[in-house]
């Protein structure tokens, strides 16, 4: 079990996946700031994609201004696109998206997805898959702002109905419409699914490494 800080949170560092755009409606920006406020309230550090624009910029600045550590992990190729003006907190530059996701996973104790595009959804789905496979045992949360992810959650339910997703694995995803409710549910979450392979059978240190990179890490 993870150490609890004096605010009672299970988590010390949470990774937030979110868009480099803010969306067309203010409700999404409000949700990013609300989640930042909730992390500050619970004294939780932020790990995120390293951008200073869109929802990434909003939540990172809120946590940083609240006095907590912010670690941004960004591929070199995306720096001119996702960073505008000054960077926020600590920025770690990596070679590619594969390395970015592996580093974000290793640095975090839980994951939350805000609304976002393909990249956000892909990161979310990979962490869900890694949980199902037994690669990690960390909680995966989905902030379903104004029903943004209703269709995705319905697709997961269809996967269960059609026999492609086990009912226990459907429960990997913890979702809620507000940051406060989501954090409360994540704090109380207990996994109910069986791992495809044992956690011990995965070489977690080499997750995300291409064959040619593994020798460098040993």
């Amino acid at each position: 079990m993870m150490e609890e800080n004096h605010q009672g949170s299970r988590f010390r560092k949470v990774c937030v996946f979110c868009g480099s755009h803010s969306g067309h409606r203010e409700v999404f920006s409000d949700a990013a700031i609300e989640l930042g406020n909730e992390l500050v309230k619970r004294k939780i550090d932020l790990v995120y994609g390293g951008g200073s624009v869109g929802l990434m910029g909003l939540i990172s600045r809120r946590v940083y201004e609240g006095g907590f550590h912010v670690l941004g992990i960004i591929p070199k190729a995306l720096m001119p696109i996702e960073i505008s003006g000054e960077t926020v907190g600590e920025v770690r530059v990596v070679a590619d998206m594969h390395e970015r996701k592996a580093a974000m996973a290793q640095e975090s104790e839980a994951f939350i997805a805000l609304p976002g595009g393909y990249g956000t959804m892909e990161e979310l789905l990979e962490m869900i898959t890694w949980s199902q496979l037994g690669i990690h045992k960390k909680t995966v949360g989905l902030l379903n702002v104004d029903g943004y992810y209703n269709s995705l959650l319905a697709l997961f339910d269809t996967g269960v109905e059609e026999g492609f997703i086990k009912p226990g694995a459907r429960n990997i995803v913890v979702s809620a419409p507000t940051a406060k409710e989501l954090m409360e549910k994540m704090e109380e979450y207990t996994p109910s699914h069986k791992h495809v392979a044992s956690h011990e059978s995965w070489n977690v240190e080499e997750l995300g490494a291409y064959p040619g990179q593994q020798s460098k890490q040993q």
Side-chain angles (χ1 to χ4, degrees):
M1 180 179 291
M2 291 177 236
E3 291 181 17
E4 293 191 358
N5 62 34
H6 63 272
Q7 289 292 103
S9 178
R10 293 173 55 192
F11 313 113
R12 292 163 296 185
K13 296 188 294 183
V14 169
C15 176
V16 175
F17 302 125
C18 55
S20 57
H21 298 281
S22 299
H24 292 314
R25 293 188 292 138
E26 193 172 345
V27 65
F28 301 122
S29 296
D30 291 343
I33 294 169
E34 179 191 6
L35 179 57
N37 287 334
E38 197 65 29
L39 295 180
V40 169
K41 174 185 172 183
R42 295 170 182 270
K43 302 188 182 301
I44 298 172
D45 294 333
L46 172 69
V47 178
Y48 82 117
S52 62
V53 295
L55 299 187
M56 285 198 288
L58 290 172
I59 189 169
S60 60
R61 283 192 293 273
R62 182 64 201 93
V63 174
Y64 186 74
E65 290 167 0
F68 291 90
H69 188 258
V70 172
L71 172 62
I73 301 173
I74 186 168
K76 185 177 181 180
L78 291 182
M79 290 185 68
I81 301 168
E82 294 187 351
I83 294 181
S84 175
E86 293 186 8
T87 57
V88 181
E90 178 187 353
V91 176
R92 181 185 303 171
V93 181
V94 295
D96 52 40
M97 295 293 287
H98 205 66
E99 188 178 348
R100 179 197 223 179
K101 287 183 293 183
M104 291 169 81
Q106 289 171 359
E107 290 286 350
S108 308
E109 296 176 348
F111 309 96
I112 294 174
L114 277 162
Y118 290 141
T120 300
M121 295 182 202
E122 188 270 342
E123 289 165 334
L124 167 69
L125 287 168
E126 185 151 12
M127 291 308 108
I128 294 170
T129 303
W130 285 11
S131 177
Q132 178 179 250
L133 292 174
I135 294 173
H136 72 71
K137 300 179 180 180
K138 303 172 184 180
T139 308
V140 182
L142 184 63
L143 188 51
N144 189 21
V145 180
D146 201 27
Y148 180 79
Y149 283 115
N150 282 353
S151 296
L152 181 62
L153 292 169
L155 179 60
F156 295 161
D157 291 334
T158 300
V160 174
E161 292 168 8
E162 298 292 350
F164 290 103
I165 299 173
K166 294 184 182 299
R170 171 62 180 85
N171 296 328
I172 290 171
V173 186
V174 179
S175 64
T178 67
K180 184 175 185 293
E181 185 179 346
L182 180 62
M183 289 304 304
E184 288 173 348
K185 291 175 74 171
M186 289 177 67
E187 298 278 6
E188 298 170 359
Y189 172 76
T190 301
S192 61
H193 64 287
K194 293 182 178 180
H195 295 143
V196 173
S198 71
H199 179 68
E200 292 72 23
S201 68
W202 296 98
N203 189 344
V204 178
E205 292 301 318
E206 291 187 356
L207 283 180
Y210 298 111
Q213 294 177 312
Q214 291 181 2
S215 60
K216 297 177 184 178
Q217 296 184 0
Q218 291 174 343

